[in-house]
Amino acid sequence: MPTGIFVSHPLTGEQVEVWVGNYVLMGYGEGAVMAVPAHDERDFHFAKKYQLPIRQVIDVPGKAFSLDAWQEWYADKESGRCVNSGRYDGLGLQAAVDAIAADLKAKGLGDKQVTWRLRDWGISRQRYWGCPIPLIHCEKCGTVPVPDDQLPVVLPEDCVPDGSGNPLAKRPDFLNCSCPKCGGKARRETDTMDTFVDSSWYYSRYASVGNDKAMVDERVKYWLPVDQYIGGIEHAILHLLYSRFWTKVMRDLGLVGFDEPFGRLLTQGMVLNEIFFRKPASGRISYFNPADVELKFDDKGNRVGAVLKADGQPVESGGIGTMSKSKNNGVDPQHLIEQYGADTARFFMMFASPPEQTLEWSDSGVDGSYRFLKRLWAFAAAAGDAVRTAPGVPAQLESALAAVRREVHLNLKQANYDFHKFQFNTVASAAMKVLNALERAPKVAEGHAAVVREGLSILLRLLSPITPHVCHHLWRELGYEAHYGDILQAPWPEPLEAALAQDEIELVLQVNGKLRGAIKVPASTAKEQIEAAALASEVARKHMEGKPAKKVVVVPGRLVNIVV
């Protein structure tokens, strides 16, 4: 609703009407905000509804502004420039912010300020299982800290939280004590600290295990800070933020010599699965595990419903959601391990999705991972005797076998690159491609056993972080342990330049920039010879239609483009 009040724009002096809206937060700023209807979606709809003027003040190149309907790009401040803004026209976001702030400061109306929106951290919880708060309450002396020689305060281990209050308050043997100052009757603090108190510095304690005299010791200089932190998105705010605060306090106290606890962060995605439930007319919703639900399909294979296996009665689907205990849509790892083995579950989770993205659980995907590991096992078993006695790879190989070896080393090169980027799904994919290549290796070619021996040693080491049990067993059974030691101590494989070298290369053939085919030439062919081979090819002559070539562009190792 309009208030009938007007305020003066601090820079232009223009009279601005004051309205009351139901979406302005009282706790934000002073409870009053400057509306920018052209570039804020809620302000836009508000202005349209009450027929208020909408003035475009940010322009994004290539975009046409219209008052007909809101478009997402209207809110894009990063890509735009100021328009209809007087002396600020043409300025980008940061330049405009700086210029406006400087003008407000010159007028004595304001200045830049950093605003922190963190709330106070309440560490006290009325629960039994947290860290004890080492305080004693005395009617005479007030609140007194527990003396150092009486630390740590140890909680009783036989309390049962029954929902009727803090069980520590019902334990006289814990609650009642003597005041450290006056010796009179006193009681212990029964609140415990939030578990974030533990998780905010546990990494420092890990580095000083066994020390019962201090929080940390000299070992933190060797072990910390942590190089790589991997955790779920739910930790990104509280745990990581509190860890930074805690580390800086420990730094200020001289306990550690570093400022930040973690060098690099990888936020892993969540695992998703379908949610099934029943919602009775009265009572709470009941959730059912997908393993206990049978899907129903029609004659055409279209899904038409789902029933609970136990009673055959229908259940509803809540769609795909994050696996959680509350929704009962988790997958029991023990069941997977019993049916497929731990390595299958590990391989599927690595292969199905990049680690920072969500993963939708798929039973068929688990089956596919299982089939791959069975193929690996069968291939290794069939090649076993030849691999154990195979000599080194000969200097010269038949072209088909050399191509297989090159593909193995190309995939190894890509996998090593992806490992450093934590792209484990493409590492798993590379391992599958290596096995595919080895299975295609011509068995009658001289050097076949040597190429397979080398390829399997690469494949098993590549897979060992993902499927350690299978790889450990096959590594030992194929005789690699005698030469390299245990697979965990074996040197990590690196691609060999000799294996990557090609006698012959294939170049894409274009005519006037359009793909027309390919030509094969020896790897050492000079540019002039490549041009001649391209012009002489039947595909090129066909698409040149008798016209002379104006020029021939050669991109080494990639393509030839004939311009006519």
Side-chain angles (χ1 to χ4, degrees), residues 11 22 84 151 167 188 194 197 204 241 247 251-252 260 265 288 303 322-323 332 345 369 381 459 523:
L11 293 173
N22 63 356
N84 303 319
L151 294 175
R188 292 190 186 277
D194 190 298
V197 173
S204 297
L241 194 61
T247 296
R251 175 204 62 193
D252 293 347
E260 296 287 351
L265 168 67
F288 303 99
R303 179 170 155 180
T322 303
M323 283 189 184
D332 185 358
S369 299
L459 176 56

Side-chain angles (χ1 to χ4, degrees), residues 451-529:
V451 168
V452 170
R453 175 179 173 79
E454 180 189 73
L456 272 175
S457 79
I458 290 171
L459 176 56
L460 293 178
R461 282 177 284 176
L462 201 58
L463 272 176
S464 60
I466 301 175
T467 56
H469 308 89
V470 166
C471 293
H472 172 81
H473 184 83
L474 292 180
W475 182 263
R476 187 175 56 190
E477 288 298 313
L478 292 172
Y480 295 118
E481 196 171 57
H483 298 277
Y484 300 105
D486 184 82
I487 192 169
L488 293 178
Q489 278 74 48
W492 188 256
E494 296 292 342
L496 300 176
E497 290 301 324
L500 295 173
Q502 287 179 282
D503 293 332
E504 190 176 58
I505 59 174
E506 185 174 82
L507 302 175
V508 170
L509 179 60
Q510 296 178 340
V511 177
N512 288 337
K514 292 184 179 181
L515 177 62
R516 298 303 185 186
I519 60 170
K520 288 185 177 181
V521 296
S524 59
T525 304
K527 179 176 177 292
E528 294 77 12
Q529 293 171 309

Side-chain angles (χ1 to χ4, degrees), residues 330-345 349 361:
V331 174
D332 185 358
Q334 189 59 42
H335 172 71
L336 280 178
I337 291 168
E338 290 171 358
Q339 185 174 358
Y340 296 107
D343 281 349
T344 296
M349 288 188 286
W361 191 262

